[in-house]
Amino acid sequence: MRCRAVRKVLAADYCDGEIEGAAREDIERHLGGCAACRAHWLALRRAAVEPFRDAPPLAAPAPLWERVRERIGGGEAMALPAHPVHGRRLPFRLPGFAYAAASAAAAVLIAAFLIRQPLAARGGARTPPVNESEELHEYLQEQLALLASDGNGIPGSGEKTNGEDGSRPASSSYGTIVEEYLM
Amino acid sequence: MQALQRELILEASRGDVAAFEKIYRETADYVYGLAARITGNRADAEEVAQDVYLTIHRELGNFRFEASFTTWLYRITVNRAISAARKAARRRARQVEYDEGIDAGDRCNAPQEAVGREERIRSLLEVLNPDQRACIILREIEGMRYAEIAEALGVRINTVRSRLRRARGIIASRAREGGETT
């Protein structure tokens, strides 16, 4: 039982110098007095420890770096600036403010385009300003008043009939014609 | 393997190819050697080494120096190599009925004196599983302590201890069998 426990320690901690002091001395004392364990230890060292001690270094094959470099997208392209430009590189360098100015100009153009879109949706007709609209209304009222008068510029009489049959009010008739003409 | 300078690692993480190449030159033999011994196959080792450097290149920006770069490199290499060795073992298991006869014939005819030290190491490692192999290599060839091996493999120290014990037991047992039959 004692030999079995010692052999477990021999195959790991003792062999690899992982135990020191009293524990190591205890093992060595046992080896000094037990021929079977001493033989076991020598055989173990010869078969499973010593062959590895002078292992020759293995050299990586020369083309390996070229393959790695190729895969990482090597060459000069890897020497990136502190603030890399993603995607296709420009054939020239621009100062930093140029990017900001270009962005602002693009924003203005997009805004102008979006503002004009509703006009285009109405067939490109321009909405008259408020003042123009009021002037037009006044003009129409004046024209309607003149047409509704008896021809001498007196308003009011045309409200009655527009002709001999008196079938419809003159204001609505003339108003419609004037509107169609002006609009 | 010597510890790499922090500045060199930082430069490489910023995309400096020259710095990355320097890291490669410093570590490639180690990475390839470790992979070759764990996989037992040069072609697989090259694949593993390439994969290791692509991983490092991709992840270098996330490296925070909480562990040493070398330990990180050990861990990536060993994990990739163990994975490749397992795949290779499954591949061989599928092919064994075709290759067995030729393989046995080659071994019988190979002159013992022509087997170099590396071949001897390869033949000893061949009888171990990839986990045991990695432990033996890190301990016997790289000279790492148990704590370092445990960190590199991401396992407990007792696991390292038991894998080493088991691995040496298997190698010694094969040696005894070989001695008895010859």
Side-chain angles (χ1 to χ4, degrees):
Chain A
M1 186 62 187
R2 171 71 177 153
C3 289
R4 192 175 172 185
V6 166
R7 288 178 190 187
K8 279 183 79 173
V9 179
L10 285 175
D13 295 76
Y14 183 81
C15 177
D16 297 318
E18 294 276 338
I19 56 164
E20 291 173 348
R24 191 170 187 87
E25 286 168 13
D26 193 31
I27 298 290
E28 284 168 354
R29 211 167 18 251
H30 179 87
L31 285 176
C34 177
C37 282
R38 202 162 52 244
H40 174 86
W41 168 235
L42 290 174
L44 185 72
R45 279 186 54 184
R46 200 164 38 242
V49 179
E50 287 169 1
F52 297 105
R53 288 289 148 92
D54 296 318
L58 299 179
L64 184 58
W65 166 245
E66 295 308 321
R67 288 208 299 276
V68 170
R69 183 173 169 142
E70 196 176 300
R71 291 286 300 275
I72 64 175
E76 299 308 311
M78 274 301 296
L80 298 175
H83 302 287
V85 178
H86 296 291
R88 187 184 290 266
R89 291 181 144 218
L90 295 171
F92 51 86
R93 288 183 66 82
L94 289 173
F97 68 81
Y99 291 103
S103 301
V108 169
L109 287 172
I110 290 167
F113 176 75
L114 291 174
I115 288 166
R116 286 189 64 83
Q117 279 299 98
L119 298 177
R122 288 198 293 262
R126 187 175 67 89
T127 304
V130 175
N131 290 343
E132 284 183 26
S133 183
E134 284 174 359
E135 285 174 10
L136 178 62
H137 182 71
E138 286 172 10
Y139 174 74
L140 290 174
Q141 291 297 322
E142 285 173 12
Q143 294 302 309
L144 288 171
L146 286 170
L147 290 168
S149 67
D150 293 331
N152 55 8
I154 302 169
S157 60
E159 288 288 321
K160 297 171 187 172
T161 61
N162 183 35
E164 292 179 355
D165 58 356
S167 59
R168 60 181 179 173
S171 61
S172 63
S173 174
Y174 288 113
T176 303
I177 292 167
V178 171
E179 282 176 13
E180 285 175 2
Y181 175 76
L182 291 174
M183 300 303 289
Chain B
M1 186 171 58
Q2 289 184 341
L4 293 166
Q5 288 180 348
R6 187 188 178 102
E7 194 51 42
L8 183 66
I9 294 165
L10 287 172
E11 282 171 14
S13 74
R14 292 185 202 113
D16 186 335
V17 171
F20 189 75
E21 183 174 1
K22 212 167 180 180
I23 291 174
Y24 173 88
R25 301 283 174 210
E26 291 279 338
T27 59
D29 289 349
Y30 162 75
V31 167
Y32 173 77
L34 190 53
R37 286 183 171 129
I38 292 175
T39 60
N41 178 301
R42 286 176 189 275
D44 286 346
E46 284 187 41
E47 285 291 319
V48 167
Q50 182 174 307
D51 188 31
V52 166
Y53 284 103
L54 294 179
T55 302
I56 289 171
H57 183 262
R58 194 174 56 244
E59 300 294 331
L60 207 52
N62 299 324
F63 184 67
R64 295 285 173 262
F65 295 94
E66 287 159 2
S68 80
F69 178 82
T70 310
T71 302
W72 186 51
L73 188 62
Y74 275 125
R75 181 176 281 209
I76 295 172
T77 305
V78 170
N79 285 340
R80 296 288 196 283
I82 287 175
S83 176
R86 285 183 183 143
K87 279 183 195 165
R90 286 196 292 272
R91 204 167 55 223
R92 276 197 300 274
R94 286 196 295 270
Q95 292 176 343
V96 71
E97 59 187 280
Y98 300 103
D99 298 341
E100 205 168 37
I102 299 166
D103 197 26
D106 283 351
R107 281 186 192 162
C108 291
N109 296 332
Q112 195 62 34
E113 61 274 14
V115 179
R117 277 184 300 168
E118 186 55 36
E119 187 57 31
R120 166 99 174 118
I121 289 170
R122 199 185 68 79
S123 69
L124 293 176
L125 293 172
E126 210 173 47
V127 299
L128 307 176
N129 71 36
D131 292 318
Q132 294 164 345
R133 222 179 283 167
C135 276
I136 284 284
I137 293 163
L138 293 178
R139 171 62 213 145
E140 297 291 3
I141 299 174
E142 301 302 326
M144 291 169 71
R145 310 284 302 179
Y146 286 3
E148 293 170 321
I149 298 172
E151 195 179 354
L153 297 179
V155 297
R156 294 183 307 150
I157 287 180
N158 270 343
T159 305
V160 173
R161 186 176 277 119
S162 64
R163 283 179 187 175
L164 284 171
R165 188 185 296 130
R166 180 83 184 122
R168 286 175 178 140
I170 292 169
I171 292 171
S173 168
R174 291 295 176 99
R176 274 198 305 275
E177 288 168 12
E180 285 166 7
T181 54
T182 54

